[in-house]
Amino acid sequence: MRHYKSFVALGDSFTEGLNDPGPDGHYRGWADRVAERLAADDPAFRYANLAVRGKLLDQVAAEQVPLAVEMAPDLVSFCGGGNDLLRPGSDPDVMAKRLARAVRDLRAGGADVLLFTGVDPRDTPVMRRLRGRFAVYYLHLRSIADLYGCRLVDLWSMQGLRDWRAWGADRLHMNEDGHRLVAARVLDVLGVPFDDWRKEWPERAIDPRARRREDAQWMREHLVPWVSRRVRGVSSGDGVSPKRPDLAPWA
């Protein structure tokens, strides 16, 4: 196990921590939870979170990676591409080449790099039609992790994240329970003692009619507005700044 003295988190809404409210008005999320645990072993531990909701892979690579390289942390997490894969015409092969260049730059500075597969979308209406596209990208990601010696956090295999009780109402962002499970998996990959990430939810009966009503409500309240923003070229991250832009001690 490597003793990490600094950590910079890069990415989009997943790493910003959407749907996991924090006490200070910002979202908390798995990255803050990981930083808090690492700081418990070192009072001088420093942390930055540059992730912003809605960012595409090219934006993360162009806007956040150079800042992380300049900060020269011990550990960097990079999770991006999910927003791209949801857009028509996205090419996972081209995306993988962009990701590889970013990872190479981060590794050149000596930082350990965390990469993430996403959750299997087969249980998600609409998104399950894009399952093959997601799978190809995550296979590329595994290859990049092997090639550059990165640590891989495999969310695809986490059965606890396939239950809707780990997700917010929008079905795109995890809730507090989901982020807690991801933090536990990350810390396990880093070899840091923490909670078990293998979650078994209590069984519950689901009325098919209620499920259909929930699906219809989700489409009206979340899917349609999301599609509308894409058509208008509007991002949820427009005007949003990183919540922890500087590599500073964990308070």
Side-chain angles (χ1 to χ4, degrees):
M1 185 184 86
R2 180 176 176 181
H3 180 71
Y4 295 105
K5 296 183 178 181
S6 53
F7 169 36
V8 176
L10 312 179
D12 51 30
S13 57
F14 169 67
T15 303
E16 185 184 347
L18 259 66
N19 282 1
D20 181 12
D24 58 355
H26 293 289
Y27 288 107
R28 190 180 183 190
W30 68 265
D32 283 17
R33 295 174 182 274
V34 168
E36 183 177 26
R37 174 60 186 87
L38 296 178
D41 293 333
D42 184 355
F45 176 81
R46 297 177 299 151
Y47 169 55
N49 190 318
L50 308 181
V52 174
R53 68 198 74 172
K55 291 296 183 181
L56 301 173
L57 181 64
D58 281 348
Q59 293 174 314
V60 176
E63 299 168 8
Q64 300 176 24
V65 169
L67 295 176
V69 171
E70 185 177 350
M71 292 177 183
D74 297 331
L75 176 67
V76 178
S77 67
F78 188 116
C79 186
N83 292 319
D84 300 73
L85 292 168
L86 291 171
R87 295 189 171 212
S90 61
D91 188 333
D93 297 327
V94 174
M95 291 169 57
K97 292 180 180 179
R98 188 68 180 97
L99 175 64
R101 290 195 295 270
V103 169
R104 181 188 60 203
D105 292 342
L106 292 169
R107 289 289 288 148
D112 276 3
V113 174
L114 281 168
L115 297 178
F116 295 75
T117 71
V119 178
D120 188 347
R122 69 178 179 177
D123 300 318
T124 309
V126 180
M127 287 177 61
R128 59 175 166 246
R129 299 178 182 178
L130 305 175
R131 192 181 185 208
R133 184 186 297 177
F134 279 88
V136 169
Y137 179 63
Y138 296 143
L139 283 173
H140 278 307
L141 194 147
R142 286 179 174 275
S143 298
I144 292 169
D146 286 342
L147 180 62
Y148 290 100
C150 303
R151 297 176 182 267
L152 182 66
V153 182
D154 184 10
L155 304 185
W156 191 283
S157 66
M158 291 183 65
Q159 296 301 305
L161 295 180
R162 291 189 55 200
D163 192 292
W164 286 122
R165 284 169 285 187
W167 295 81
D170 63 6
R171 302 186 182 182
L172 290 174
H173 302 104
M174 297 174 191
N175 59 21
E176 177 182 353
D177 290 321
H179 280 284
R180 186 183 296 111
L181 291 175
V182 173
R185 186 65 188 268
V186 170
L187 289 164
D188 182 61
V189 168
L190 296 177
V192 179
F194 197 63
D195 298 335
D196 190 1
W197 53 267
R198 297 169 181 83
K199 173 75 173 180
E200 293 187 10
W201 295 92
E203 291 190 12
R204 61 174 179 173
I206 301 178
D207 183 346
R209 291 172 298 180
R211 171 57 64 85
R212 287 193 291 270
R213 288 196 298 269
E214 291 175 359
D215 288 346
Q217 182 180 6
W218 170 75
M219 293 183 69
R220 290 194 307 272
E221 297 182 1
H222 299 285
L223 178 62
V224 172
W226 183 87
V227 172
S228 176
R229 289 198 302 271
R230 293 298 175 272
V231 171
R232 292 182 287 116
V234 176
S235 170
S236 58
D238 290 345
V240 178
S241 300
K243 62 180 181 180
R244 291 182 65 101
D246 301 313
L247 188 61
W250 175 264

